[in-house]
Amino acid sequence: MLVLLPPSEGKTAPAEGEPVELAALTDAAALTTTRRAVLRALVRASRRRDAVEALGVGASLADEVVRNTTLAAAPAAPARTVYTGVLYGAARLDDLDDGALARAQRSVRTVSALWGAVSPEDRIPAYRLSMGTDLVGVGPLAAAWRRPLSRALDRAARERLVVDCRSAAYAAAWTAPSDGPGVVEVRVLREADGRRTVVSHWAKHTRGVLTRHLVRREAPEPTTPAELLDAAGEMVGRELLDAELAPGPRGRHVLSLVVAGLPPT
């Protein structure tokens, strides 16, 4: 399987460690050129007087934008410890035994506006950049990443089931080919008073819980949409009320995870 995650806005900056080494990151042959171009453009943009506006962030994040200016020399740590938002708090990729960590390293990719895609063990610094940014010198980032991500991920997607947990902005950067074992978009519904509604914050948490379940379970990795439904069904009665699989657009599938209660705080 190939589990695709969005990055988290919340990140923990490593306190120590060697800087990022682009050539050592996953899929370096396909992604290094674009990673270097985006990194340089981000540093330039972050040095501008209007950097906060140029990067589309609020004034409260000005310190994080300033931190972008020293990314090439900043301490780096495994991505699974840097991303610390709601999804990653639930996935707890920083708390896995050796077998589960090996599976996560093989199967999980975080699609990133700065790095393209990284594995849990890839060493990166904390940064501030969203996929919706139109970066001077690079252009709209989703468009900039499509061809490099295609070179990096298409082959894997033709050989493995794609479990797509990305948000719309990050899904725009790469579309999995339809001639592989299957592509399944994961959505989350909350059931209350007999009605099911789409939720956002709860969705991040539940997608993280699903990711943790998939990398920790002892059974073989799912290879078809039906096997993914069976794997998610193992969570029903604990984290989930229900799990359903339905055909989606363009021959893809949609896995609906149904939860109850209020979103976690």
Side-chain angles (χ1 to χ4, degrees), residues 63-87:
D63 288 346
E64 294 185 26
V65 172
V66 170
R67 190 170 63 197
N68 281 344
T69 63
T70 59
L71 282 177
R80 61 191 175 94
T81 69
V82 173
Y83 293 120
T84 51
V86 173
L87 188 154

mmCIF file of all heavy atoms in Angstrom, residues 63-87:
data_model
loop_
_atom_site.group_PDB
_atom_site.id
_atom_site.type_symbol
_atom_site.label_atom_id
_atom_site.label_comp_id
_atom_site.label_asym_id
_atom_site.label_seq_id
_atom_site.Cartn_x
_atom_site.Cartn_y
_atom_site.Cartn_z
ATOM 1 N N ASP A 63 7.166 34.916 13.037
ATOM 2 C CA ASP A 63 8.408 34.289 13.504
ATOM 3 C C ASP A 63 8.730 33.031 12.698
ATOM 4 O O ASP A 63 9.908 32.744 12.431
ATOM 5 C CB ASP A 63 8.306 33.950 14.986
ATOM 6 C CG ASP A 63 8.348 35.176 15.884
ATOM 7 O OD1 ASP A 63 8.717 36.258 15.377
ATOM 8 O OD2 ASP A 63 8.007 35.056 17.080
ATOM 9 N N GLU A 64 7.705 32.275 12.326
ATOM 10 C CA GLU A 64 7.936 31.069 11.536
ATOM 11 C C GLU A 64 8.395 31.422 10.130
ATOM 12 O O GLU A 64 9.203 30.704 9.531
ATOM 13 C CB GLU A 64 6.676 30.219 11.496
ATOM 14 C CG GLU A 64 6.297 29.652 12.854
ATOM 15 C CD GLU A 64 5.113 28.702 12.770
ATOM 16 O OE1 GLU A 64 4.906 28.101 11.698
ATOM 17 O OE2 GLU A 64 4.405 28.562 13.789
ATOM 18 N N VAL A 65 7.894 32.528 9.582
ATOM 19 C CA VAL A 65 8.350 32.987 8.276
ATOM 20 C C VAL A 65 9.816 33.407 8.351
ATOM 21 O O VAL A 65 10.614 33.083 7.467
ATOM 22 C CB VAL A 65 7.463 34.141 7.771
ATOM 23 C CG1 VAL A 65 8.046 34.753 6.493
ATOM 24 C CG2 VAL A 65 6.039 33.641 7.517
ATOM 25 N N VAL A 66 10.197 34.101 9.414
ATOM 26 C CA VAL A 66 11.609 34.471 9.600
ATOM 27 C C VAL A 66 12.471 33.210 9.677
ATOM 28 O O VAL A 66 13.575 33.162 9.107
ATOM 29 C CB VAL A 66 11.775 35.331 10.872
ATOM 30 C CG1 VAL A 66 13.257 35.513 11.202
ATOM 31 C CG2 VAL A 66 11.097 36.673 10.696
ATOM 32 N N ARG A 67 11.971 32.181 10.342
ATOM 33 C CA ARG A 67 12.722 30.928 10.452
ATOM 34 C C ARG A 67 12.977 30.299 9.084
ATOM 35 O O ARG A 67 13.985 29.607 8.874
ATOM 36 C CB ARG A 67 11.960 29.952 11.351
ATOM 37 C CG ARG A 67 12.742 28.703 11.730
ATOM 38 C CD ARG A 67 12.021 27.922 12.805
ATOM 39 N NE ARG A 67 10.716 27.448 12.335
ATOM 40 C CZ ARG A 67 9.734 27.030 13.128
ATOM 41 N NH1 ARG A 67 9.891 27.061 14.434
ATOM 42 N NH2 ARG A 67 8.596 26.602 12.627
ATOM 43 N N ASN A 68 12.088 30.556 8.120
ATOM 44 C CA ASN A 68 12.296 30.042 6.763
ATOM 45 C C ASN A 68 13.599 30.530 6.145
ATOM 46 O O ASN A 68 14.168 29.870 5.272
ATOM 47 C CB ASN A 68 11.148 30.485 5.843
ATOM 48 C CG ASN A 68 9.880 29.672 6.005
ATOM 49 O OD1 ASN A 68 9.891 28.587 6.586
ATOM 50 N ND2 ASN A 68 8.787 30.187 5.463
ATOM 51 N N THR A 69 14.077 31.699 6.565
ATOM 52 C CA THR A 69 15.255 32.294 5.929
ATOM 53 C C THR A 69 16.532 31.515 6.216
ATOM 54 O O THR A 69 17.537 31.698 5.527
ATOM 55 C CB THR A 69 15.434 33.753 6.371
ATOM 56 O OG1 THR A 69 15.682 33.801 7.778
ATOM 57 C CG2 THR A 69 14.195 34.576 6.045
ATOM 58 N N THR A 70 16.509 30.644 7.221
ATOM 59 C CA THR A 70 17.719 29.883 7.583
ATOM 60 C C THR A 70 17.506 28.381 7.431
ATOM 61 O O THR A 70 18.200 27.581 8.065
ATOM 62 C CB THR A 70 18.132 30.200 9.030
ATOM 63 O OG1 THR A 70 17.046 29.861 9.920
ATOM 64 C CG2 THR A 70 18.478 31.668 9.189
ATOM 65 N N LEU A 71 16.536 27.979 6.588
ATOM 66 C CA LEU A 71 16.189 26.561 6.485
ATOM 67 C C LEU A 71 17.370 25.688 6.056
ATOM 68 O O LEU A 71 17.505 24.555 6.532
ATOM 69 C CB LEU A 71 15.035 26.370 5.489
ATOM 70 C CG LEU A 71 13.644 26.703 6.011
ATOM 71 C CD1 LEU A 71 12.623 26.540 4.903
ATOM 72 C CD2 LEU A 71 13.304 25.819 7.202
ATOM 73 N N ALA A 72 18.207 26.173 5.176
ATOM 74 C CA ALA A 72 19.302 25.342 4.667
ATOM 75 C C ALA A 72 20.294 24.960 5.757
ATOM 76 O O ALA A 72 20.972 23.930 5.659
ATOM 77 C CB ALA A 72 20.026 26.064 3.530
ATOM 78 N N ALA A 73 20.371 25.784 6.818
ATOM 79 C CA ALA A 73 21.312 25.505 7.908
ATOM 80 C C ALA A 73 20.619 25.069 9.185
ATOM 81 O O ALA A 73 21.290 24.718 10.164
ATOM 82 C CB ALA A 73 22.147 26.749 8.188
ATOM 83 N N ALA A 74 19.294 25.054 9.197
ATOM 84 C CA ALA A 74 18.551 24.737 10.423
ATOM 85 C C ALA A 74 18.667 23.255 10.779
ATOM 86 O O ALA A 74 18.821 22.401 9.906
ATOM 87 C CB ALA A 74 17.080 25.099 10.234
ATOM 88 N N PRO A 75 18.600 22.914 12.069
ATOM 89 C CA PRO A 75 18.631 21.499 12.465
ATOM 90 C C PRO A 75 17.470 20.737 11.839
ATOM 91 O O PRO A 75 16.348 21.256 11.723
ATOM 92 C CB PRO A 75 18.498 21.559 13.990
ATOM 93 C CG PRO A 75 18.933 22.942 14.360
ATOM 94 C CD PRO A 75 18.525 23.813 13.230
ATOM 95 N N ALA A 76 17.729 19.510 11.448
ATOM 96 C CA ALA A 76 16.711 18.643 10.851
ATOM 97 C C ALA A 76 16.531 17.399 11.711
ATOM 98 O O ALA A 76 17.446 16.979 12.429
ATOM 99 C CB ALA A 76 17.109 18.251 9.433
ATOM 100 N N ALA A 77 15.342 16.811 11.630
ATOM 101 C CA ALA A 77 15.016 15.592 12.375
ATOM 102 C C ALA A 77 14.035 14.787 11.537
ATOM 103 O O ALA A 77 13.478 15.292 10.550
ATOM 104 C CB ALA A 77 14.412 15.943 13.738
ATOM 105 N N PRO A 78 13.800 13.516 11.887
ATOM 106 C CA PRO A 78 12.852 12.720 11.110
ATOM 107 C C PRO A 78 11.494 13.411 10.991
ATOM 108 O O PRO A 78 10.986 13.991 11.963
ATOM 109 C CB PRO A 78 12.758 11.422 11.911
ATOM 110 C CG PRO A 78 14.082 11.308 12.593
ATOM 111 C CD PRO A 78 14.448 12.720 12.945
ATOM 112 N N ALA A 79 10.918 13.350 9.805
ATOM 113 C CA ALA A 79 9.638 14.011 9.548
ATOM 114 C C ALA A 79 8.566 13.562 10.530
ATOM 115 O O ALA A 79 7.692 14.341 10.906
ATOM 116 C CB ALA A 79 9.197 13.741 8.109
ATOM 117 N N ARG A 80 8.635 12.323 10.984
ATOM 118 C CA ARG A 80 7.611 11.808 11.900
ATOM 119 C C ARG A 80 7.656 12.509 13.261
ATOM 120 O O ARG A 80 6.701 12.427 14.039
ATOM 121 C CB ARG A 80 7.781 10.300 12.084
ATOM 122 C CG ARG A 80 9.107 9.862 12.670
ATOM 123 C CD ARG A 80 9.277 8.349 12.552
ATOM 124 N NE ARG A 80 10.591 7.921 13.008
ATOM 125 C CZ ARG A 80 10.859 7.509 14.242
ATOM 126 N NH1 ARG A 80 9.900 7.477 15.151
ATOM 127 N NH2 ARG A 80 12.068 7.126 14.580
ATOM 128 N N THR A 81 8.757 13.213 13.559
ATOM 129 C CA THR A 81 8.831 14.000 14.796
ATOM 130 C C THR A 81 8.624 15.490 14.558
ATOM 131 O O THR A 81 8.374 16.231 15.505
ATOM 132 C CB THR A 81 10.193 13.803 15.500
ATOM 133 O OG1 THR A 81 11.231 14.408 14.716
ATOM 134 C CG2 THR A 81 10.496 12.321 15.693
ATOM 135 N N VAL A 82 8.729 15.917 13.307
ATOM 136 C CA VAL A 82 8.569 17.339 12.983
ATOM 137 C C VAL A 82 7.093 17.685 12.788
ATOM 138 O O VAL A 82 6.614 18.706 13.286
ATOM 139 C CB VAL A 82 9.391 17.705 11.730
ATOM 140 C CG1 VAL A 82 9.093 19.134 11.273
ATOM 141 C CG2 VAL A 82 10.887 17.543 12.017
ATOM 142 N N TYR A 83 6.363 16.821 12.062
ATOM 143 C CA TYR A 83 4.935 17.058 11.867
ATOM 144 C C TYR A 83 4.190 16.648 13.139
ATOM 145 O O TYR A 83 4.249 15.480 13.556
ATOM 146 C CB TYR A 83 4.421 16.259 10.675
ATOM 147 C CG TYR A 83 4.981 16.707 9.344
ATOM 148 C CD1 TYR A 83 5.717 15.835 8.542
ATOM 149 C CD2 TYR A 83 4.774 18.003 8.885
ATOM 150 C CE1 TYR A 83 6.226 16.237 7.315
ATOM 151 C CE2 TYR A 83 5.293 18.427 7.667
ATOM 152 C CZ TYR A 83 6.007 17.536 6.875
ATOM 153 O OH TYR A 83 6.524 17.950 5.668
ATOM 154 N N THR A 84 3.486 17.604 13.739
ATOM 155 C CA THR A 84 2.879 17.332 15.043
ATOM 156 C C THR A 84 1.452 17.858 15.142
ATOM 157 O O THR A 84 0.967 18.129 16.240
ATOM 158 C CB THR A 84 3.730 17.946 16.164
ATOM 159 O OG1 THR A 84 4.002 19.324 15.858
ATOM 160 C CG2 THR A 84 5.047 17.201 16.316
ATOM 161 N N GLY A 85 0.747 18.003 14.026
ATOM 162 C CA GLY A 85 -0.636 18.449 14.048
ATOM 163 C C GLY A 85 -1.580 17.342 14.462
ATOM 164 O O GLY A 85 -1.169 16.263 14.913
ATOM 165 N N VAL A 86 -2.878 17.584 14.300
ATOM 166 C CA VAL A 86 -3.914 16.657 14.760
ATOM 167 C C VAL A 86 -3.758 15.278 14.143
ATOM 168 O O VAL A 86 -3.788 14.255 14.838
ATOM 169 C CB VAL A 86 -5.312 17.236 14.446
ATOM 170 C CG1 VAL A 86 -6.401 16.204 14.749
ATOM 171 C CG2 VAL A 86 -5.556 18.499 15.251
ATOM 172 N N LEU A 87 -3.572 15.213 12.828
ATOM 173 C CA LEU A 87 -3.443 13.913 12.162
ATOM 174 C C LEU A 87 -2.241 13.148 12.708
ATOM 175 O O LEU A 87 -2.336 11.955 13.011
ATOM 176 C CB LEU A 87 -3.330 14.123 10.652
ATOM 177 C CG LEU A 87 -3.372 12.879 9.752
ATOM 178 C CD1 LEU A 87 -3.885 13.259 8.359
ATOM 179 C CD2 LEU A 87 -2.017 12.192 9.641
#
